[in-house]
mmCIF file of all heavy atoms in Angstrom:
data_model
loop_
_atom_site.group_PDB
_atom_site.id
_atom_site.type_symbol
_atom_site.label_atom_id
_atom_site.label_comp_id
_atom_site.label_asym_id
_atom_site.label_seq_id
_atom_site.Cartn_x
_atom_site.Cartn_y
_atom_site.Cartn_z
ATOM 1 N N ARG A 60 78.843 96.516 101.669
ATOM 2 C CA ARG A 60 77.811 95.876 100.832
ATOM 3 C C ARG A 60 76.752 96.872 100.420
ATOM 4 O O ARG A 60 76.243 96.830 99.293
ATOM 5 C CB ARG A 60 77.136 94.735 101.601
ATOM 6 C CG ARG A 60 78.043 93.563 101.806
ATOM 7 C CD ARG A 60 77.395 92.482 102.639
ATOM 8 N NE ARG A 60 78.430 91.532 103.009
ATOM 9 C CZ ARG A 60 78.257 90.500 103.809
ATOM 10 N NH1 ARG A 60 77.059 90.278 104.341
ATOM 11 N NH2 ARG A 60 79.243 89.687 104.079
ATOM 12 N N GLN A 69 75.283 92.255 92.826
ATOM 13 C CA GLN A 69 75.818 91.702 94.082
ATOM 14 C C GLN A 69 75.024 90.495 94.585
ATOM 15 O O GLN A 69 73.798 90.540 94.658
ATOM 16 C CB GLN A 69 75.821 92.786 95.166
ATOM 17 C CG GLN A 69 76.306 92.300 96.528
ATOM 18 C CD GLN A 69 76.608 93.424 97.504
ATOM 19 O OE1 GLN A 69 77.753 93.800 97.704
ATOM 20 N NE2 GLN A 69 75.564 93.981 98.098
ATOM 21 N N ALA A 83 78.839 70.319 112.389
ATOM 22 C CA ALA A 83 77.986 69.213 111.937
ATOM 23 C C ALA A 83 77.065 68.741 113.065
ATOM 24 O O ALA A 83 75.937 68.319 112.821
ATOM 25 C CB ALA A 83 78.855 68.053 111.431
ATOM 26 N N ASN A 91 69.014 78.321 113.058
ATOM 27 C CA ASN A 91 68.480 79.526 113.704
ATOM 28 C C ASN A 91 69.206 80.789 113.262
ATOM 29 O O ASN A 91 68.614 81.868 113.191
ATOM 30 C CB ASN A 91 68.549 79.400 115.227
ATOM 31 C CG ASN A 91 67.658 78.275 115.735
ATOM 32 O OD1 ASN A 91 66.666 77.934 115.095
ATOM 33 N ND2 ASN A 91 68.028 77.680 116.859
ATOM 34 N N ASP A 99 70.366 90.894 110.077
ATOM 35 C CA ASP A 99 71.450 91.863 110.242
ATOM 36 C C ASP A 99 71.738 92.572 108.919
ATOM 37 O O ASP A 99 71.903 93.791 108.875
ATOM 38 C CB ASP A 99 72.718 91.170 110.757
ATOM 39 C CG ASP A 99 72.625 90.794 112.232
ATOM 40 O OD1 ASP A 99 72.076 91.586 113.020
ATOM 41 O OD2 ASP A 99 73.109 89.706 112.595
ATOM 42 N N ASP A 106 69.857 95.793 100.360
ATOM 43 C CA ASP A 106 68.497 95.932 99.850
ATOM 44 C C ASP A 106 68.187 94.806 98.861
ATOM 45 O O ASP A 106 68.849 94.698 97.821
ATOM 46 C CB ASP A 106 68.425 97.309 99.156
ATOM 47 C CG ASP A 106 67.079 97.568 98.514
ATOM 48 O OD1 ASP A 106 66.216 96.670 98.502
ATOM 49 O OD2 ASP A 106 66.911 98.695 97.992
ATOM 50 N N PHE A 112 70.091 87.823 97.607
ATOM 51 C CA PHE A 112 70.424 86.972 98.750
ATOM 52 C C PHE A 112 70.143 85.522 98.369
ATOM 53 O O PHE A 112 69.159 85.255 97.676
ATOM 54 C CB PHE A 112 69.519 87.299 99.940
ATOM 55 C CG PHE A 112 69.845 88.580 100.651
ATOM 56 C CD1 PHE A 112 69.183 89.766 100.339
ATOM 57 C CD2 PHE A 112 70.798 88.601 101.660
ATOM 58 C CE1 PHE A 112 69.463 90.943 101.015
ATOM 59 C CE2 PHE A 112 71.084 89.768 102.346
ATOM 60 C CZ PHE A 112 70.415 90.942 102.019
ATOM 61 N N PHE A 128 85.970 70.313 91.473
ATOM 62 C CA PHE A 128 87.159 71.075 91.883
ATOM 63 C C PHE A 128 88.069 70.258 92.806
ATOM 64 O O PHE A 128 89.279 70.478 92.836
ATOM 65 C CB PHE A 128 86.746 72.368 92.602
ATOM 66 C CG PHE A 128 86.289 73.485 91.689
ATOM 67 C CD1 PHE A 128 85.782 74.666 92.235
ATOM 68 C CD2 PHE A 128 86.375 73.385 90.307
ATOM 69 C CE1 PHE A 128 85.368 75.715 91.418
ATOM 70 C CE2 PHE A 128 85.957 74.430 89.480
ATOM 71 C CZ PHE A 128 85.449 75.601 90.044
ATOM 72 N N LEU A 137 95.990 72.011 100.643
ATOM 73 C CA LEU A 137 94.965 72.479 101.586
ATOM 74 C C LEU A 137 95.553 72.624 102.985
ATOM 75 O O LEU A 137 95.290 73.600 103.689
ATOM 76 C CB LEU A 137 93.771 71.513 101.609
ATOM 77 C CG LEU A 137 92.860 71.585 100.381
ATOM 78 C CD1 LEU A 137 91.945 70.368 100.312
ATOM 79 C CD2 LEU A 137 92.032 72.872 100.403
ATOM 80 N N ILE A 143 93.354 78.054 106.762
ATOM 81 C CA ILE A 143 92.929 76.761 107.303
ATOM 82 C C ILE A 143 93.780 76.365 108.510
ATOM 83 O O ILE A 143 93.269 75.928 109.544
ATOM 84 C CB ILE A 143 93.035 75.684 106.187
ATOM 85 C CG1 ILE A 143 92.016 75.985 105.086
ATOM 86 C CG2 ILE A 143 92.837 74.275 106.720
ATOM 87 C CD1 ILE A 143 90.582 75.885 105.536
ATOM 88 N N ASN A 155 92.865 65.861 113.747
ATOM 89 C CA ASN A 155 91.582 65.178 113.530
ATOM 90 C C ASN A 155 90.581 66.084 112.817
ATOM 91 O O ASN A 155 89.445 66.228 113.238
ATOM 92 C CB ASN A 155 91.000 64.684 114.862
ATOM 93 C CG ASN A 155 90.748 65.842 115.815
ATOM 94 O OD1 ASN A 155 91.188 66.971 115.563
ATOM 95 N ND2 ASN A 155 90.026 65.592 116.893
ATOM 96 N N PRO A 157 87.907 67.448 110.260
ATOM 97 C CA PRO A 157 86.908 66.901 109.332
ATOM 98 C C PRO A 157 87.336 67.210 107.890
ATOM 99 O O PRO A 157 87.788 68.333 107.603
ATOM 100 C CB PRO A 157 85.624 67.663 109.679
ATOM 101 C CG PRO A 157 85.850 68.240 111.043
ATOM 102 C CD PRO A 157 87.333 68.453 111.165
ATOM 103 N N ALA A 162 88.606 71.024 103.362
ATOM 104 C CA ALA A 162 88.351 71.322 101.949
ATOM 105 C C ALA A 162 87.439 72.540 101.756
ATOM 106 O O ALA A 162 87.045 72.821 100.631
ATOM 107 C CB ALA A 162 87.746 70.105 101.259
ATOM 108 N N GLU A 205 89.192 77.937 78.628
ATOM 109 C CA GLU A 205 88.888 79.183 79.344
ATOM 110 C C GLU A 205 87.405 79.257 79.745
ATOM 111 O O GLU A 205 86.529 79.427 78.901
ATOM 112 C CB GLU A 205 89.264 80.356 78.423
ATOM 113 C CG GLU A 205 89.599 81.649 79.109
ATOM 114 C CD GLU A 205 90.790 81.562 80.065
ATOM 115 O OE1 GLU A 205 91.719 80.747 79.837
ATOM 116 O OE2 GLU A 205 90.762 82.317 81.053
ATOM 117 N N SER A 208 86.950 83.646 84.857
ATOM 118 C CA SER A 208 87.947 84.722 84.875
ATOM 119 C C SER A 208 88.490 84.910 86.284
ATOM 120 O O SER A 208 87.984 84.346 87.264
ATOM 121 C CB SER A 208 87.385 86.018 84.301
ATOM 122 O OG SER A 208 86.089 86.248 84.767
ATOM 123 N N ILE A 213 88.564 92.225 97.260
ATOM 124 C CA ILE A 213 88.472 93.620 97.688
ATOM 125 C C ILE A 213 88.633 93.625 99.199
ATOM 126 O O ILE A 213 87.791 93.096 99.927
ATOM 127 C CB ILE A 213 87.115 94.238 97.302
ATOM 128 C CG1 ILE A 213 86.910 94.131 95.786
ATOM 129 C CG2 ILE A 213 87.016 95.673 97.768
ATOM 130 C CD1 ILE A 213 85.591 94.703 95.311
ATOM 131 N N LYS A 228 90.942 91.507 117.757
ATOM 132 C CA LYS A 228 89.815 91.360 116.849
ATOM 133 C C LYS A 228 88.513 91.155 117.608
ATOM 134 O O LYS A 228 88.456 90.343 118.538
ATOM 135 C CB LYS A 228 90.067 90.151 115.937
ATOM 136 C CG LYS A 228 89.092 90.051 114.790
ATOM 137 C CD LYS A 228 89.382 88.857 113.896
ATOM 138 C CE LYS A 228 88.312 88.750 112.818
ATOM 139 N NZ LYS A 228 88.481 87.600 111.952
ATOM 140 N N GLU A 244 70.922 99.397 127.096
ATOM 141 C CA GLU A 244 71.570 99.052 128.365
ATOM 142 C C GLU A 244 72.803 98.181 128.146
ATOM 143 O O GLU A 244 73.841 98.380 128.781
ATOM 144 C CB GLU A 244 70.578 98.285 129.265
ATOM 145 C CG GLU A 244 69.680 99.191 130.078
ATOM 146 C CD GLU A 244 70.451 100.325 130.753
ATOM 147 O OE1 GLU A 244 71.353 100.014 131.568
ATOM 148 O OE2 GLU A 244 70.185 101.513 130.456
ATOM 149 N N VAL A 250 80.350 99.215 127.042
ATOM 150 C CA VAL A 250 81.274 100.353 126.954
ATOM 151 C C VAL A 250 81.922 100.590 128.321
ATOM 152 O O VAL A 250 83.127 100.858 128.420
ATOM 153 C CB VAL A 250 80.558 101.618 126.443
ATOM 154 C CG1 VAL A 250 81.456 102.842 126.572
ATOM 155 C CG2 VAL A 250 80.120 101.441 124.990
ATOM 156 N N MET A 251 81.135 100.464 129.386
ATOM 157 C CA MET A 251 81.686 100.686 130.726
ATOM 158 C C MET A 251 82.758 99.650 131.085
ATOM 159 O O MET A 251 83.651 99.913 131.870
ATOM 160 C CB MET A 251 80.572 100.689 131.789
ATOM 161 C CG MET A 251 79.636 101.890 131.690
ATOM 162 S SD MET A 251 80.528 103.485 131.760
ATOM 163 C CE MET A 251 79.382 104.578 130.888
ATOM 164 N N VAL A 262 91.917 110.458 138.032
ATOM 165 C CA VAL A 262 91.532 111.354 136.939
ATOM 166 C C VAL A 262 92.702 112.225 136.487
ATOM 167 O O VAL A 262 92.885 112.483 135.297
ATOM 168 C CB VAL A 262 90.343 112.244 137.384
ATOM 169 C CG1 VAL A 262 90.018 113.288 136.326
ATOM 170 C CG2 VAL A 262 89.114 111.388 137.656
ATOM 171 N N LYS A 291 91.464 113.767 123.437
ATOM 172 C CA LYS A 291 92.716 113.008 123.456
ATOM 173 C C LYS A 291 93.820 113.812 124.145
ATOM 174 O O LYS A 291 94.558 113.285 124.983
ATOM 175 C CB LYS A 291 93.161 112.660 122.031
ATOM 176 C CG LYS A 291 92.368 111.525 121.400
ATOM 177 C CD LYS A 291 92.887 111.228 119.992
ATOM 178 C CE LYS A 291 92.068 110.134 119.340
ATOM 179 N NZ LYS A 291 92.379 109.957 117.915
ATOM 180 N N ILE A 304 84.578 109.906 128.873
ATOM 181 C CA ILE A 304 84.717 109.459 127.478
ATOM 182 C C ILE A 304 83.858 108.213 127.211
ATOM 183 O O ILE A 304 83.354 108.013 126.109
ATOM 184 C CB ILE A 304 86.195 109.205 127.084
ATOM 185 C CG1 ILE A 304 86.884 108.287 128.097
ATOM 186 C CG2 ILE A 304 86.947 110.517 126.928
ATOM 187 C CD1 ILE A 304 88.217 107.757 127.608
ATOM 188 N N SER A 317 71.014 102.269 117.135
ATOM 189 C CA SER A 317 69.563 102.285 117.371
ATOM 190 C C SER A 317 68.711 102.213 116.096
ATOM 191 O O SER A 317 67.755 101.435 116.064
ATOM 192 C CB SER A 317 69.134 103.438 118.292
ATOM 193 O OG SER A 317 69.313 104.663 117.659
ATOM 194 N N ARG A 323 65.770 96.117 112.614
ATOM 195 C CA ARG A 323 65.926 94.687 112.846
ATOM 196 C C ARG A 323 64.742 94.131 113.634
ATOM 197 O O ARG A 323 64.202 93.073 113.311
ATOM 198 C CB ARG A 323 67.229 94.456 113.621
ATOM 199 C CG ARG A 323 67.785 93.063 113.486
ATOM 200 C CD ARG A 323 69.018 92.921 114.348
ATOM 201 N NE ARG A 323 69.663 91.652 114.114
ATOM 202 C CZ ARG A 323 69.200 90.486 114.510
ATOM 203 N NH1 ARG A 323 68.068 90.415 115.184
ATOM 204 N NH2 ARG A 323 69.859 89.373 114.239
ATOM 205 N N PRO A 330 58.883 87.305 109.902
ATOM 206 C CA PRO A 330 59.781 86.211 109.480
ATOM 207 C C PRO A 330 59.435 85.660 108.091
ATOM 208 O O PRO A 330 60.323 85.222 107.360
ATOM 209 C CB PRO A 330 59.594 85.144 110.565
ATOM 210 C CG PRO A 330 58.325 85.497 111.261
ATOM 211 C CD PRO A 330 58.160 86.979 111.143
ATOM 212 N N VAL A 333 61.167 87.858 105.536
ATOM 213 C CA VAL A 333 62.619 87.631 105.493
ATOM 214 C C VAL A 333 62.928 86.314 104.778
ATOM 215 O O VAL A 333 63.804 86.246 103.913
ATOM 216 C CB VAL A 333 63.220 87.630 106.923
ATOM 217 C CG1 VAL A 333 64.718 87.340 106.883
ATOM 218 C CG2 VAL A 333 62.961 88.981 107.603
ATOM 219 N N VAL A 347 71.291 81.375 87.421
ATOM 220 C CA VAL A 347 72.676 81.658 87.055
ATOM 221 C C VAL A 347 73.521 80.400 87.230
ATOM 222 O O VAL A 347 74.336 80.045 86.374
ATOM 223 C CB VAL A 347 73.247 82.799 87.938
ATOM 224 C CG1 VAL A 347 74.680 83.120 87.536
ATOM 225 C CG2 VAL A 347 72.364 84.039 87.863
ATOM 226 N N TYR A 363 75.861 64.615 79.111
ATOM 227 C CA TYR A 363 75.196 63.523 78.391
ATOM 228 C C TYR A 363 73.774 63.897 78.003
ATOM 229 O O TYR A 363 73.128 64.639 78.712
ATOM 230 C CB TYR A 363 75.178 62.265 79.282
ATOM 231 C CG TYR A 363 76.552 61.938 79.807
ATOM 232 C CD1 TYR A 363 76.890 62.199 81.130
ATOM 233 C CD2 TYR A 363 77.519 61.388 78.961
ATOM 234 C CE1 TYR A 363 78.158 61.930 81.606
ATOM 235 C CE2 TYR A 363 78.807 61.120 79.441
ATOM 236 C CZ TYR A 363 79.109 61.385 80.763
ATOM 237 O OH TYR A 363 80.358 61.118 81.234
#
Side-chain angles (χ1 to χ4, degrees):
R60 290 176 192 175
Q69 178 167 260
N91 296 333
D99 286 321
D106 177 355
F112 285 95
F128 282 175
L137 286 165
I143 294 295
N155 61 349
E205 205 60 30
S208 43
I213 302 179
K228 191 179 176 182
E244 275 314 300
V250 171
M251 292 304 155
V262 174
K291 284 181 182 171
I304 51 167
S317 68
R323 202 183 187 288
V333 178
V347 181
Y363 308 105

